[in-house]
Amino acid sequence: MRADLLIVGAGMVGSALALALRDSGLNLVLVDGSPLDLAPFEAQAGFDPRVSALSMASQRLLQRLGAWPGILARRASPYRRMDVWDGSGTGHIRFDAASVHADVLGHIVENRVVQDALLEQLRDSSVGLLANARLEQMRRSGDDWLLTLSGGRSLRAPLVVAADGANSAVRRLTGTPTREWDYLHHAIVTSVRCSEPNQATAWQRFTDDGPLAFLPLQQGDDRHWCSIVWSTTPVQAERLMKLDDLGFCRALEQAFEGRLGQVLHTDLRVCVPLRQRHAKRYVAPGLALIGDAAHTIHPLAGQGVNLGLLDAAVLAEELAAAQGRGEALADLRVLSRYERRRMPHNLALMAAMQGFERLFQADPLPLRWLRNSGLGLVESLPSAKALFVRQALGLSGDLPQLARP
Ligand SMILES: Cc1cc2nc3c(=O)[nH]c(=O)nc-3n(C[C@H](O)[C@H](O)[C@H](O)COP(=O)(O)OP(=O)(O)OC[C@H]3O[C@@H](n4cnc5c(N)ncnc54)[C@H](O)[C@@H]3O)c2cc1C
């Protein structure tokens, strides 16, 4: 089978790209190694441990792709405030949606909810969807790429987009070089129920071992749930994973200074090693990398999928513009326009997060003073705070049409 454009990976980012190009007239095929089953959503079902904080820019983009109503119909938890503080100092900063005349700062949504809402739209489109089709081999064949999928199926296309996540097979099979840093952090991810309501606030406490986030979740009218991302040293993570549920709830409550009262219940815990990866190039002739296949960033930023959705929107915009001018979409000059718009933005955020993370892990007194006085300074300057809020809303930088107001 031959396609004009082949997207490997139907996660949130690959599915968004396919939807953004559904009316382009291109023969578009989206392949994924998983079954892509659309199970009916149970409102009382437990929370998926993988959630994302979707920015306002991502919300707009998902709205324009037609997926936002499907997300709201399932489950999405708006958050209106952010509360960030240094657990071993005095620094404290609070952001409020009202300060920039917005209703919300964003929504916490389970990844599978976003993906199902996107897939629902794709099922009604002309995009070819191949499930249970894991990419195993890929090589150049004339002007095309020839891809071998699990089960021996093969596909060819002049343009392949890698949206196959942090351990991208496309990146590996094409020998695309990356820069990688081990954060020496593992993240424990789960959902917990607290005795106090979450106040529609995203909380982040910087502990000596790493950041601990409590992100508000809502089940019907019940606002006592939070999604936890606890980044800590591998040794500490191993110790916490070995605790029974009661012991873990007590340790969590203590690490969070009991801000939401008692931690009454924890769901199953998942432990993920954290690595930062960045592809040295996002493009090559006939090839583009988007989302986590191009970059993975520390979850303390809560920005991974937001960056990936913007990659998808910018690539779709550049491909549509090139199509309008009659240019070959696989041409490196066309693809480089996407890279030029996205790489500086992604790199700047990754560098800022790395600096932030180092600053909060540092023990020397001058650095402790710097972070406490820095947080205090931002807290006391309304214009600096507004800048941070705009960043959290995803409203800064060169936004693609799909994400603009
Ligand atoms: C602990 C943690 C917390 C996070 N919190 C946030 C947050 O609050 N906000 C935020 O924005 N981001 C967050 N992120 C990051 C976010 O989860 C990722 O950025 C996002 O999932 C990337 O989406 P993606 O579509 O690029 O990749 P993925 O979601 O990884 O999707 C990749 C897809 O490719 C498919 N695939 C993989 N290999 C193959 C293959 N060989 N052949 C065919 N298909 C394949 C997979 O089945 C999958 O469907 C967090 C990440 C972690 C680890």
Side-chain angles (χ1 to χ4, degrees):
M1 182 163 55
R2 188 170 192 276
D4 296 325
L5 167 57
L6 225 153
I7 304 170
V8 183
M12 296 183 278
V13 173
S15 299
L17 175 66
L19 271 181
L21 289 170
R22 70 187 138 179
D23 298 324
S24 62
L26 293 170
N27 174 9
L28 198 67
V29 176
L30 179 61
V31 303
D32 200 284
S34 64
L36 300 181
D37 286 334
L38 252 180
F41 188 78
E42 306 274 352
Q44 291 310 313
F47 293 98
D48 199 54
R50 289 195 59 173
V51 306
S52 296
L54 296 178
S55 68
M56 184 63 80
S58 294
Q59 177 182 338
R60 274 196 207 122
L61 195 144
L62 291 162
Q63 231 149 12
R64 294 205 171 111
L65 297 180
W68 192 248
I71 291 174
L72 292 184
R74 289 174 171 86
R75 194 158 55 192
S77 313
Y79 65 99
R80 298 190 165 78
R81 282 171 293 278
M82 277 170 77
D83 201 327
V84 181
W85 73 101
D86 184 352
S88 52
T90 54
H92 201 139
I93 186 162
R94 290 188 187 90
F95 303 110
D96 199 319
S99 69
V100 286
H101 311 291
D103 281 343
V104 298
L105 288 176
H107 287 78
I108 310 295
V109 189
E110 294 148 88
N111 290 3
R112 76 173 153 134
V113 163
V114 181
Q115 194 177 359
D116 282 0
L118 288 164
L119 283 177
E120 203 168 61
Q121 294 299 306
L122 279 170
R123 294 256 155 99
D124 292 336
S125 76
S126 59
V127 173
L129 204 53
L130 274 185
N132 296 311
R134 172 157 288 275
L135 172 68
E136 288 180 345
Q137 288 300 330
M138 92 182 255
R139 65 175 171 82
R140 274 298 202 183
S141 163
D143 286 340
D144 285 349
W145 289 100
L146 183 63
L147 277 70
T148 308
L149 308 173
S150 48
R153 281 173 289 183
S154 60
L155 274 177
R156 55 193 310 139
L159 176 56
V160 171
V161 175
D164 51 348
N167 297 311
S168 167
V170 175
R171 204 180 54 218
R172 176 172 45 83
L173 294 169
T174 55
T176 305
T178 54
R179 282 198 192 89
E180 307 203 6
W181 302 259
D182 201 328
Y183 279 121
L184 300 175
H185 261 172
H186 286 189
I188 298 178
V189 186
T190 187
S191 312
V192 299
R193 193 162 195 284
C194 300
S195 60
E196 299 294 325
N198 56 44
Q199 301 166 39
T201 300
W203 313 81
Q204 185 131 267
R205 176 183 187 245
F206 284 87
T207 73
D208 284 341
D209 292 332
L212 166 62
F214 271 57
L215 307 173
L217 293 173
Q218 193 174 333
Q219 193 171 46
D221 290 334
D222 183 357
R223 292 169 196 266
H224 289 76
W225 287 91
C226 285
S227 166
I228 302 301
V229 184
W230 191 348
S231 308
T232 185
T233 61
V235 174
Q236 168 78 336
E238 196 185 336
R239 189 185 73 74
L240 292 168
M241 287 300 284
K242 281 188 183 149
L243 292 175
D244 61 14
D245 283 359
L246 188 64
F248 180 74
C249 288
R250 290 294 85 81
L252 188 58
E253 205 177 291
Q254 200 178 16
F256 193 56
E257 301 171 2
R259 292 279 168 125
L260 293 177
Q262 282 177 284
V263 178
L264 302 171
H265 164 89
T266 174
D267 281 351
L268 198 71
R269 284 160 262 163
V270 182
C271 185
V272 197
L274 298 178
R275 271 184 93 69
Q276 174 158 285
R277 262 189 221 94
H278 191 258
K280 290 185 181 168
R281 294 291 315 259
Y282 293 177
V283 295
L287 182 70
L289 273 60
I290 60 174
D292 272 24
H295 44 75
T296 53
I297 181 172
H298 198 293
L300 91 86
Q303 288 296 332
V305 77
N306 294 308
L307 297 183
L309 290 172
L310 289 176
D311 290 348
V314 169
L315 181 59
E317 198 167 282
E318 291 300 339
L319 291 179
Q323 207 186 6
R325 289 192 287 262
E327 295 172 320
L329 303 190
D331 194 303
L332 186 59
R333 275 170 305 180
V334 170
L335 301 173
S336 296
R337 291 176 201 141
Y338 149 69
E339 185 186 68
R340 275 201 299 278
R341 284 179 65 187
R342 291 303 303 152
M343 195 184 262
H345 183 256
N346 293 337
L347 271 175
L349 196 81
M350 290 173 93
M353 281 312 127
Q354 207 172 7
F356 215 59
E357 201 245 342
R358 291 221 174 117
L359 190 62
F360 275 93
Q361 281 210 299
D363 240 358
L365 211 55
L367 287 179
R368 277 178 185 258
W369 176 82
L370 184 67
R371 73 188 183 218
N372 280 308
S373 50
L375 282 179
L377 189 68
V378 175
E379 174 69 13
S380 64
L381 286 175
S383 54
K385 258 175 102 166
L387 207 73
F388 270 84
V389 179
R390 287 186 67 75
Q391 183 71 45
L393 292 170
L395 299 179
S396 46
D398 165 24
L399 287 177
Q401 286 288 349
L402 278 174
R404 281 187 207 156

